[in-house]
Amino acid sequence: MADRQPSVCVTTAAGEPGPCGHDNIDAGELRNALNRVGLADHVVRPARSDDITEGKGLVFAARVDGACVLGYVLPQTETAAGVTGTLHDGTCLPV
């Protein structure tokens, strides 16, 4: 997968991590956790106002074959994830 991420969050396993965080949540830790469980084709970015978290925390997506694992991490340790299909362009999360 080509690196389609904003320059503030470089999150592919082959890329060098860049600065990325939101609401005191460490995106590097989230990237490392995704890599540890084998979800190396992923995007982690600060949430935007049009995301489910309404601009709070971090959102993430990882592609697994033809599906996507999507989720978010909010301050105070709230986390959620689910599985869905890919977007029309084959990606999992708009950047």
Side-chain angles (χ1 to χ4, degrees):
M1 175 175 167
D3 184 6
R4 298 183 180 139
Q5 302 172 68
S7 60
V8 69
C9 294
V10 179
T11 57
T12 60
E16 292 297 319
C20 181
H22 199 58
D23 298 330
N24 297 319
I25 300 169
D26 186 344
E29 288 182 27
L30 179 53
R31 286 191 294 265
N32 289 338
L34 292 169
N35 285 329
R36 278 194 305 274
V37 297
L39 300 174
D41 187 3
H42 60 264
V43 172
V44 175
R45 66 164 169 76
R48 298 187 301 228
S49 61
D50 61 340
D51 288 323
I52 192 169
T53 62
E54 299 175 344
K56 298 178 183 128
L58 295 172
V59 293
F60 66 90
R63 189 162 49 184
V64 181
D65 295 324
C68 298
V69 175
L70 300 171
Y72 61 85
V73 180
L74 293 174
Q76 313 303 324
T77 68
E78 182 181 342
T79 304
V83 177
T84 188
T86 61
L87 299 173
H88 291 292
D89 64 0
T91 63
C92 293
L93 184 67
V95 290

